[in-house]
Amino acid sequence: IRVGKILKAWEHPEAEKLYCEEVDVGEEKPRQIASGLRPFYKLEDMQNQTVLVLCNLKARSLVGFPSHGMVMCASNDDHTKVEFAVPPEGAKIGERVVFDGFVGEPEVENKVAKKKIFEKIAPDLKTDDKGNVIYKGSFGKVGSEPCRAKLGMPNAHVA
């Protein structure tokens, strides 16, 4: 999970729930990512938004759009409310989110897909009662500051 910035967003021409985005995650060129956020955000709210991005997902086509990553969001149980998961103020584009007690290098894209790693960690990736992003009780941080749901959504799933 890295800090990213949505440089450009537009409505997917064939999918009414998807936005297409160009997201800077500190690499040579921006990534293209499709997100099912149209029911929750206006297009202008997407532009220049700083977000958390799951980067080590294998690129795949979403309704014909090549998507390479996932913009992370907090959502309630019935998925009627969604908020961006955001880094702390001052976080730099491309910085990695780390969780206390969980060290090591990120798995490569092929292994994440093949071993269904995200599906295994997803149930424990959530927000606490104050809206901070946690994994198995450890804060997701950039530097020493925690990441959080943009508006502080408590006790939500993060994906």
Side-chain angles (χ1 to χ4, degrees):
I1 302 173
R2 296 197 179 276
V3 176
K5 183 174 185 174
I6 300 172
L7 302 175
K8 180 180 173 186
W10 62 96
E11 294 177 352
H12 191 294
E14 297 170 31
E16 66 183 41
K17 292 185 179 182
L18 292 180
Y19 281 126
C20 301
E21 304 118 18
E22 285 185 5
V23 184
D24 182 358
V25 292
E27 298 171 331
E28 189 174 306
K29 61 181 186 170
R31 287 185 182 222
Q32 290 195 316
I33 298 176
S35 304
L37 296 174
R38 276 174 69 181
F40 307 103
Y41 283 100
K42 294 178 183 160
L43 189 57
E44 58 267 20
D45 297 329
M46 300 288 291
Q47 308 286 357
N48 298 310
Q49 177 65 51
T50 302
V51 293
L52 301 184
V53 179
L54 184 59
C55 291
N56 55 342
L57 293 176
K58 198 171 182 180
R60 63 188 184 120
S61 179
L62 290 178
V63 195
F65 182 79
S67 183
H68 192 200
M70 181 186 345
V71 173
M72 307 292 289
C73 290
S75 67
N76 61 356
D77 284 338
D78 61 3
H79 203 68
T80 55
K81 289 178 71 179
V82 171
E83 294 178 13
F84 289 118
V86 297
E89 287 286 323
K92 292 179 177 53
I93 303 301
E95 278 190 282
R96 194 169 147 203
V97 176
V98 294
F99 293 85
D100 291 334
F102 297 92
V103 294
E105 290 304 307
E107 296 290 355
V108 295
E109 292 175 3
N110 285 340
K111 190 172 181 181
V112 170
K114 189 180 286 186
K115 298 202 177 259
K116 298 187 185 281
I117 291 173
F118 184 70
E119 290 82 351
K120 291 175 185 172
I121 68 165
D124 295 310
L125 191 59
K126 46 185 93 171
T127 62
D128 66 9
D129 60 350
K130 293 184 177 101
N132 296 306
V133 175
I134 58 171
Y135 175 70
K136 293 188 174 182
S138 293
F139 289 104
K141 297 178 182 176
V142 176
S144 62
E145 296 297 316
C147 300
R148 54 184 290 105
K150 184 172 176 80
L151 301 175
M153 184 186 294
N155 307 310
H157 304 280
V158 176

